[in-house]
Structures are given as C-alpha cells and as structure tokens.
Amino acid sequence: MRIKTVEIRPDAVVLIDQLALPGEERYVTCTTWREVAKAIRDMTVRGAPAIGVAAAGALALAAREAAFSHAGDRVGFDAALDEAAAGLAQTRPTAVNLSWAIGELRALWQRCEASPQECWLTLLARAREIHDDDIRRCYAIGAFGAALFAAGDTILTHCNAGALATAGYGTALGVIRACHERYDGAVSVFVDETRPWLQGARLTAWELSVEGIEYWLISDSMAGHFIARGEVDGIVVGADRIAANGDTANKIGTYTLSVLAKEHSLPFYVAAPLSTVDLAVAGGADIPIEERSADEVTHFRGLRVAPVGANARHPAFDITPQGNISAIITEAGVLRPPYDKALRRACGAARRAS
Ligand code: MRU
C-alpha cells in the first residue's frame, strides 16, 4: 500500500491526518496556506521532510490566492508570499527542511519575472518536484542503508521516520523497508513508543503492520534492557537538522539511545536526506530546540496522567553529538566521520548537480 502523506493539488494540500492514526485513516484538505500552517503546528502533519513538502505546497496555495487578488500588482503578490513564508517558518523551529523548502520557493518567486499567474504555476511545479524528489531520496537512503545490515538482524528505531514523516517510504523506516525487501522479510524491529506523542506506537507500528514487517513495540525505557541482552544489532533514526559538524537534532530520547549504543559498541545510524543538513549551523548547541506545551507531558489525549499543578518540561528534540554517530545515511551515500568534510563534500556535489 502506498501511504499518501501529502498530496499537492493546484487548489489544495491534502494531508493524511496523523492525529487520527492508527484508529482512523482520514484526510484533511487545506485550501489556504494558513490551514497548512495550522496542520503543521498541531501535528496533523509531522516529520521533518513531510513538513517541508507541506510548506512548499502551502506556498503554492498562497501564490494561487495572491495571483488572483494581486493579478496586476507584483509588489502586492510578493508581499503576500513573504507573509505566508514568514507564517509557515514560525510553525516549528527545529526541522530545517521547513526553511529549506521555503528558501527553494522564495528563490523562484524572487527570480520570476512573469505574471503572478505564471509565477504561481512555477511554484506549484517546484512544490510537486520537491514532493517527488523526497520519495526518490528516501528510496536511495533505503538502498544505501540496507547494505549496512544483514539478514536476520533486529533493528531498533525511535519516533516515526517513515512514509508518514516524508513524502513516502521514509528515511530510517526506508532503511528498514529496504532491509525487509532485500533480506526476504528476515528482519525484525524494536519500535520505541516515543513518549509523549507516541509517534512510535501510533505511527511506526501502524506502518510496519501495514507492510507486514515483524516488530515489537517497547516503551522507551525498555531499550537499554534489550540492548544489554544483545537482542539489538543496530539502531537507525531520522533527523530534524544535522549541523555542519554532524551533531544531529532528532526526537527527544534519541540522544539517550546513542549513549546506549556507544556503551554497547552497537552501530548507531542517522538516516536523512541532504535537505536536513544545515551547514550554516556549526554544531548542535546552535540548533533551536522546540519546547512544546507541558500539557502534552501531564496529559495524554486530554486525560490527566500527573497531579494537578505538576511542573513539567517538554523539549521535543535533543542533540546527538557527532561522536556517537557511526554513519549518516543520505541519498548521496553513507557518510562516515569526519562529518564536517563528508557533509560539505556531499552538499557541494548535490548543489552542483541541481
Ligand atoms: O515531532 P515530530 O513527530 O515531527 O518529530 C519527528 C522526528 O523527530 C523524526 O525522527 C524526524 O523528523 C525525521 S523524519 C524522516
């Protein structure tokens, strides 16, 4: 089954509703950029590449609206797009794919000398290209990543870096999908439930069930137990932003896993497209970490799980230092330390090829 996470239509961005999964598979149709921004903010769509693709579709919607309301007024058209870009950029701060996608489209409308109507069509075409390109990148990541594992391996993953977090197929889950295909199903997965949003329990487990890939759902605190018993052969996770030195922001709890991997000499892989690399940021300390509402820790789906008045914190991401990462799996191949050189070379080659 092909999971349609984000569909970019001329008049709408259609999203699978990730708040309703796994109970219900339903779709949300956004006809304005503001509706897409709301969907990114409330996590109807989530996952770094997926929110980048959704933001690209949202800007195409903004351009459509502005092409009608500012048909002969280029200044008004540009101002409307600037407003949409700023609104979208504010939705979630950590995943760089969001600002990357906005930058890609901004470069186009700033260069576009045609009528607003034609500029809109150019932006729509680029947004769709970003969508399709993301799927191709995921397949390449999967193929490179599968070569790092062997038949019979058990892989641990955290959060959801699957088809639902991308335009399709997934990054970390793309590697697991590719292992499943390459080793005739002889691969199994430990899925961290990923408190507090339960992306592992709700979304990764759903994707693996749909694919028929064998998995065990575990609570985050069980990972060390299974690793210490030798039941895990490697860990693969996604990324929200990779700094120039290789330090990586990903879902809260990823850093803990990387420490466990190091302690037990286990390979720890980050799988991400090069659009997740931010060479403008030197190291992890400079990556903005989204702090979400503490209510998401004290409550689950409206049900209070902590005493009234409990203080809580909710950083949505943490930083895994580059020294804990065995390799970064990208669409351009498997990058090994020293990451500063490897990332600069890979991003430079990708820029020259585009
Ligand atoms: O808060 P989320 O669900 O958007 O966080 C998602 C993650 O941390 C993923 O691991 C990351 O975005 C990579 S998705 C291919």
Side-chain angles (χ1 to χ4, degrees):
M1 172 196 154
R2 156 108 157 75
I3 296 167
K4 274 196 169 177
T5 308
V6 183
E7 190 190 347
I8 298 175
R9 297 185 187 159
D11 58 348
V13 172
V14 182
L15 305 167
I16 191 167
D17 184 351
Q18 301 198 31
L19 298 173
L21 286 171
E24 195 189 339
E25 189 181 330
R26 67 170 184 231
Y27 293 82
V28 175
T29 301
C30 304
T31 55
T32 66
W33 73 262
R34 283 191 175 78
E35 286 172 7
V36 180
K38 180 179 173 300
I40 294 173
R41 210 176 300 111
D42 71 17
M43 310 248 292
T44 299
V45 60
R46 32 67 51 202
I51 62 179
V53 171
L59 277 174
L61 283 182
R64 178 177 189 264
E65 196 182 309
F68 285 110
S69 54
H70 300 281
D73 164 19
R74 188 54 207 261
V75 174
F77 177 77
D78 283 1
L81 286 185
D82 283 339
E83 188 196 347
L88 287 159
Q90 278 166 15
T91 51
R92 297 197 73 194
T94 303
V96 76
N97 309 62
L98 186 67
S99 43
W100 173 82
I102 292 170
E104 287 288 301
L105 267 67
R106 178 183 279 117
L108 277 187
W109 90 68
Q110 287 179 343
R111 270 204 312 268
C112 180
E113 288 174 0
S115 65
Q117 185 79 10
E118 284 169 81
C119 292
W120 159 49
L121 293 174
T122 306
L123 294 195
L124 176 63
R126 179 66 185 127
R128 287 177 153 173
E129 199 174 74
I130 287 174
H131 173 280
D132 295 350
D133 202 36
D134 186 62
I135 299 178
R136 277 193 293 272
R137 290 175 192 229
C138 286
Y139 275 103
I141 289 168
F144 284 122
L148 299 172
F149 290 96
D153 275 357
T154 298
I155 304 171
L156 188 144
T157 191
H158 189 64
C159 193
N160 173 267
L164 292 167
T166 59
Y169 202 68
T171 55
L173 220 50
V175 171
I176 289 167
R177 281 194 162 88
C179 283
H180 181 71
E181 287 154 22
R182 187 172 172 148
Y183 304 120
D184 287 331
V187 63
S188 50
V189 187
F190 276 116
V191 178
D192 268 5
E193 67 175 354
T194 318
R195 274 280 290 154
W197 263 82
L198 303 192
Q199 289 94 330
R202 294 187 304 106
L203 307 175
T204 299
W206 180 73
E207 284 196 41
L208 293 174
S209 298
V210 168
E211 293 279 340
I213 299 175
E214 184 179 48
Y215 69 89
W216 289 274
L217 179 62
I218 58 172
S219 69
D220 302 348
S221 52
M222 295 174 191
H225 169 76
F226 289 112
I227 289 171
R229 287 165 59 113
E231 293 194 36
V232 177
D233 297 294
I235 298 175
V236 60
V237 297
D240 283 80
R241 192 184 301 221
I242 301 173
N245 70 347
D247 289 352
T248 295
N250 191 51
K251 180 51 55 194
I252 192 76
T254 302
Y255 166 62
T256 318
L257 288 174
S258 79
V259 175
L260 278 169
K262 201 169 188 177
E263 171 71 17
H264 294 277
S265 305
L266 213 60
F268 182 91
Y269 300 120
V270 168
L274 291 174
S275 56
T276 307
V277 178
D278 187 355
L279 294 180
V281 159
D286 298 322
I287 298 178
I289 299 293
E290 176 182 7
E291 183 98 23
R292 293 185 65 88
S293 166
D295 290 354
E296 294 174 352
V297 176
T298 56
H299 292 68
F300 181 68
R301 293 198 159 165
L303 180 72
R304 176 178 287 284
V305 293
V308 176
N311 289 323
R313 293 284 305 271
H314 185 189
F317 302 96
D318 59 24
I319 304 293
T320 297
Q322 54 85 21
N324 288 7
I325 299 170
S326 314
I328 300 176
I329 308 163
T330 74
E331 71 273 32
V334 176
L335 309 185
R336 300 274 183 185
Y339 292 120
D340 51 352
K341 283 203 186 77
L343 289 167
R344 231 178 308 118
R345 206 177 310 122
C347 291
R351 225 184 359 258
R352 283 191 296 281
S354 70

